[in-house]
């Protein structure tokens, strides 16, 4: 099956799921009246006329725990048709690594754990504030398109995990069911991520921001879907017989989601199609390999206090979307045959839980793993799997000031069956505005 057939087949499948008659679409409802939290500073305008817009600004149902939630400063027009918010948070962390260290600052990347353990990286003390963030969000409502949004987010990690420099994190426009710009990939279920302090997150968590064009209809209060075309980001492991060339086809992720319990619980089935290109140097020909993945993710609110979070995926050549594998040459690797590459098999999962003791105090824990299969020919020291274990506690001193403490354990195993490990204690102070 050639590239065009793959693309048309994928689009046909999604069309069957996502294109019922227009009357079947069911926009997410937002209350016309919304009680403005005491933390909000209404700089201008009358909030009594903009209830549904404020409800959108304070909707956190699709956000990852580490993403800023709601703006502190609000600007409203007189007619209640436009709301503009400015928010973010100041986040500082202190950490002590012991019995092994990743040497990547506050981003605990298990891929970077030395194997075997290195005496020079036995321990470290480190402080960081470069993941503090600022965002701007505009929400409006038109008679023709319904709700629309503009969102821009930046932080200060532009010079790497241990440096400081302005970095664009998100910049997108959303009109009705359509989103265009830089934001979380459609293959990422942000709400299913376990709360953690470290800025990298669990080894097997799905995490990727792409430039995309997404269509995400809702069919009822319970059922929704999405499909998008996204700018691919690829990282290859090559040898002298093969060469990386630029992508020619966008990544195509899609999902179907069912939610219940007022949106506090959901299950999502996701798929990903990738068309990956390389050049056979000896023959002078361009070649392709298909990357794909299937994922199950979601949240189950067992009680008002206890929630379970989960995600797991399997496929070939989707390393760019996995925390521990992104940027480490795992989308395509050279094969045992000269001049050929393969999309390596891989799997990843995360199982977590959150328990709210009081409205101000909660605990979270997770176990996560990312794993590759069948690439021992790359060398005995090639990454086979990484494990991530964390236990965290968070306490809100008052509504916008949060402290946290986390213990992390990471392990890396290579194909020669040697292991390396690292441990870390992290403290956090975060002020939301």
């Amino acid at each position: 099956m050639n590239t065009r057939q793959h693309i048309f087949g994928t689009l046909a499948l999604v069309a069957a799921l996502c294109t019922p008659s227009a009357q079947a679409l069911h926009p997410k409802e937002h209350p016309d009246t919304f009680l403005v939290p005491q933390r909000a500073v209404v700089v201008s305008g009358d909030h009594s006329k903009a209830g549904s817009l404020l409800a959108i600004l304070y909707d956190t149902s699709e956000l990852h725990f580490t993403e800023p939630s709601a703006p502190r400063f609000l600007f409203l027009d007189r007619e209640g048709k436009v709301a503009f918010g400015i928010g973010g948070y100041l986040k500082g962390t202190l950490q002590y690594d012991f019995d092994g260290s990743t040497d990547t600052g506050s981003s605990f990347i298990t891929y970077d754990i030395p194997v075997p353990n290195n005496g020079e990286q036995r321990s470290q003390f480190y402080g960081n504030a470069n993941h503090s963030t600022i965002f701007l969000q505009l929400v409006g409502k038109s008679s023709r398109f319904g709700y629309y949004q503009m969102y821009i987010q930046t932080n200060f990690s532009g010079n790497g995990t241990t440096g400081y420099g302005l970095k664009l994190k998100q910049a997108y426009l959303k009109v009705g069911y359509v989103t265009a710009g830089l934001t979380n990939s459609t293959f990422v279920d942000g709400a299913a991520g376990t709360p953690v302090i470290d800025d990298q997150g669990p080894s097997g968590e799905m995490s990727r921001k792409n430039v995309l064009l997404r269509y995400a209809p809702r069919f009822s209060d319970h059922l929704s879907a999405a499909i998008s075309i996204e700018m691919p980001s690829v990282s290859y492991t090559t040898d002298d017989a093969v060469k990386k060339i630029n992508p020619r086809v966008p990544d195509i992720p899609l999902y179907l989601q069912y939610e219940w319990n007022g949106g506090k619980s959901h299950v999502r089935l996701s798929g990903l199609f990738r068309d990956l290109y390389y050049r056979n140097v000896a023959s002078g020909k361009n070649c392709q390999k298909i990357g794909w993945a299937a994922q199950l993710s979601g949240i189950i609110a067992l009680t008002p206090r206890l929630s379970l979070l989960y995600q797991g995926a399997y496929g070939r050549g989707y390393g760019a979307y996995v925390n521990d594998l992104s940027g480490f040459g795992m989308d395509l690797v050279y094969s045992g045959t000269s001049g050929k590459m393969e999309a390596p098999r891989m799997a990843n999962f995360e199982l977590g839980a959150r328990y709210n003791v009081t409205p101000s105090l909660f605990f979270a824990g997770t176990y996560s793993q990312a794993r590759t299969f069948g690439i021992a020919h790359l060398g005995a020291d090639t990454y086979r799997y990484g494990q991530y274990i964390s236990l965290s506690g968070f306490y809100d001193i008052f509504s916008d000031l949060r402290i946290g403490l986390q213990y992390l354990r990471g392990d890396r195993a290579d194909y020669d069956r040697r292991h390396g490990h690292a441990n870390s204690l992290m403290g956090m102070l975060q002020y939301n505005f």
Side-chain angles (χ1 to χ4, degrees), residues 310-332:
Y310 61 94
Q311 53 185 281
Y314 175 81
R316 286 183 174 270
Y318 67 97
Y321 290 82
V322 182
N323 258 348
D324 223 24
L325 301 178
S326 179
F328 292 109
M330 291 296 177
D331 295 311
L332 282 185

Side-chain angles (χ1 to χ4, degrees), residues 12 30 51 61 91 102 153 172 195 199 205 239 250 255 262 291 332 369 393 397 431:
H30 300 280
S61 60
K91 178 181 178 181
T102 63
Q153 180 196 1
Y172 64 84
D199 297 305
E205 185 168 290
D239 61 7
Y255 72 73
L332 282 185
Q369 186 178 127
I397 298 176
Y431 181 78

Side-chain angles (χ1 to χ4, degrees), residues 8-21 215 217 219 226-227 254:
F8 287 159
T10 302
L11 293 177
L13 173 62
V14 176
L17 293 174
C18 300
T19 56
S21 64
Y215 176 61
F219 307 127
I227 181 173
L254 62 149

Side-chain angles (χ1 to χ4, degrees), residues 96-101 108 407-410 421-425:
Y96 177 68
D97 295 347
F98 60 97
D99 193 20
S101 172
F108 192 88
Y407 165 71
L408 285 173
R409 165 80 181 193
H421 59 263
N423 297 268
S424 183
L425 284 174

Side-chain angles (χ1 to χ4, degrees), residues 181-192:
L182 173 65
T183 187
N184 289 322
S185 169
T186 303
F187 198 56
V188 172
D189 188 353

Side-chain angles (χ1 to χ4, degrees), residues 302-321:
L302 297 179
T303 72
R305 293 187 177 186
L306 178 62
S307 296
L308 301 182
L309 306 99
Y310 61 94
Q311 53 185 281
Y314 175 81
R316 286 183 174 270
Y318 67 97
Y321 290 82

Side-chain angles (χ1 to χ4, degrees), residues 36 40-51 53-54 57-58 70-87 135-140 148 150 433:
V36 179
V41 178
V42 181
V43 180
S44 66
D46 184 358
H47 65 80
S48 64
K49 298 180 179 180
L53 302 183
L54 296 180
L57 288 174
Y58 279 79
R72 179 74 177 273
F73 302 95
L74 301 176
F75 298 82
L76 310 170
D77 74 339
R78 294 181 179 179
E79 297 180 356
K81 294 183 177 181
V82 177
F84 179 71
I86 301 174
F135 74 90
L136 309 175
Q137 185 175 10
L138 182 145
V139 179
Y148 61 89
M150 179 277 294
F433 61 87

